[in-house]
Amino acid sequence: MTKVLQQPLKPILRINFPGQDRLGRGKMELLEHIRETGSISAAGRAMDMSYRRAWLLISELNHMFQEPVVESQRGGQNGGGAALTPFGEELLRRFRGMEDSVRAAIASDLEWLEANRNPGDAVAEPQAES
Amino acid sequence: MTKVLQQPLKPILRINFPGQDRLGRGKMELLEHIRETGSISAAGRAMDMSYRRAWLLISELNHMFQEPVVESQRGGQNGGGAALTPFGEELLRRFRGMEDSVRAAIASDLEWLEANRNPGDAVAEPQAES
């Protein structure tokens, strides 16, 4: 019997700031990579993003709030790098929490969407050879 | 004294379907205009959108679910038009409800963001002439 796999519907949250600035999962993923690697360029690479673009996104983040989100660290064995400020850690924690809250708040509506969506996008697992 | 006006931060919800399809406020606004005008082209015009683009978005919507969201209506005094199906009405109602749920669920986090955002984007009202 063919099993049918369906990818779940995915809610995406974004916060629009005045002007063109936005807070969303792209910037948050960048912060997570910076936290993990200690480097904006390594974080950019992890997301297939140029250093310039990663730097611009961090620069935007740093200007959207009253405190910086990422600070550069000078010296040390590796000659420098980047780290989240305490505010940046809080921002990241809050945004991931907001995403969790969104998923919980719309869970029954997502179920309704899942029940009514067109299953034509499901991928059938191959049947065993007979 | 100069009054400072701040535009509020705006949460935006989008649902990613498998593949490239998405459910979001653009499609929902289009549905609202179709409901109001009875016409895909009028709905497109209301959103500064070409008829072709409006038609493509409706076509996407119609294929994302097991039932159509918008149906064309033939005949009548105006020679045709478009209307939301009962399913389309339900979808629109649900999505707007999801947006309300999202706002409620993240209200305190939005307050935190508002408290910490850079007020540099606020627009100052002009002072009275002295």
Side-chain angles (χ1 to χ4, degrees):
Chain A
M1 185 168 134
T2 308
K3 266 202 205 161
V4 171
L5 308 171
Q6 269 193 341
Q7 290 182 42
L9 303 182
K10 193 166 178 178
I12 308 291
L13 174 69
R14 187 178 81 231
I15 310 295
N16 282 3
F17 278 54
Q20 305 293 339
D21 290 332
R22 300 162 150 193
L23 194 64
R25 58 182 184 151
K27 287 184 168 109
M28 293 302 103
E29 194 182 337
L30 198 56
L31 290 185
E32 282 163 344
H33 285 296
I34 288 171
R35 189 171 56 179
E36 189 177 328
T37 65
S39 154
I40 294 180
S41 50
R45 279 194 303 273
M47 296 179 67
D48 275 326
M49 190 186 283
S50 70
Y51 172 77
R52 172 177 167 75
R53 176 156 173 76
W55 186 92
L56 281 170
L57 289 174
I58 294 303
S59 184
E60 272 177 33
L61 265 177
N62 278 342
H63 286 101
M64 285 160 66
F65 298 96
Q66 297 172 24
E67 298 182 50
V69 174
V70 171
E71 61 194 354
S72 49
Q73 300 183 309
R74 294 186 171 285
Q77 273 189 317
N78 297 323
L84 272 59
T85 61
F87 176 76
E89 292 278 4
E90 176 71 8
L91 175 66
L92 179 56
R93 189 190 70 75
R94 288 251 178 189
F95 191 87
R96 291 310 190 195
M98 289 165 82
E99 289 176 316
D100 290 342
S101 299
V102 164
R103 271 186 291 269
I106 64 172
S108 59
D109 290 299
L110 278 179
E111 279 175 30
W112 182 85
L113 286 172
E114 292 276 6
N116 286 282
R117 68 188 264 202
N118 186 344
D121 51 31
V123 174
E125 282 190 16
Q127 282 178 312
E129 303 277 0
S130 56
Chain B
M1 186 170 135
T2 309
K3 265 201 203 161
V4 171
L5 307 171
Q6 270 194 340
Q7 292 182 40
L9 303 182
K10 193 167 178 178
I12 307 292
L13 174 69
R14 187 179 78 231
I15 310 295
N16 282 4
F17 277 55
Q20 305 293 340
D21 290 331
R22 301 161 151 196
L23 194 64
R25 56 181 185 153
K27 287 183 168 109
M28 293 303 104
E29 194 182 339
L30 198 56
L31 291 185
E32 282 164 343
H33 284 297
I34 288 170
R35 188 170 55 178
E36 189 178 328
T37 65
S39 154
I40 295 180
S41 51
R45 279 194 303 274
M47 294 179 68
D48 275 326
M49 189 186 285
S50 69
Y51 172 77
R52 173 176 166 75
R53 176 156 174 77
W55 186 91
L56 281 171
L57 290 174
I58 295 304
S59 185
E60 274 177 32
L61 264 177
N62 277 344
H63 287 101
M64 283 160 64
F65 297 96
Q66 297 171 25
E67 297 182 52
V69 174
V70 171
E71 60 193 355
S72 49
Q73 300 182 312
R74 296 187 172 283
Q77 272 189 317
N78 296 323
L84 271 58
T85 61
F87 177 75
E89 292 279 2
E90 176 71 10
L91 175 67
L92 178 55
R93 190 190 69 76
R94 287 252 179 191
F95 192 87
R96 290 312 190 193
M98 288 164 83
E99 289 177 317
D100 290 341
S101 299
V102 164
R103 272 186 291 269
I106 64 172
S108 58
D109 290 299
L110 278 179
E111 279 174 31
W112 182 86
L113 287 172
E114 292 277 5
N116 285 283
R117 67 187 265 204
N118 185 344
D121 49 32
V123 175
E125 280 189 17
Q127 283 178 314
E129 303 279 359
S130 55

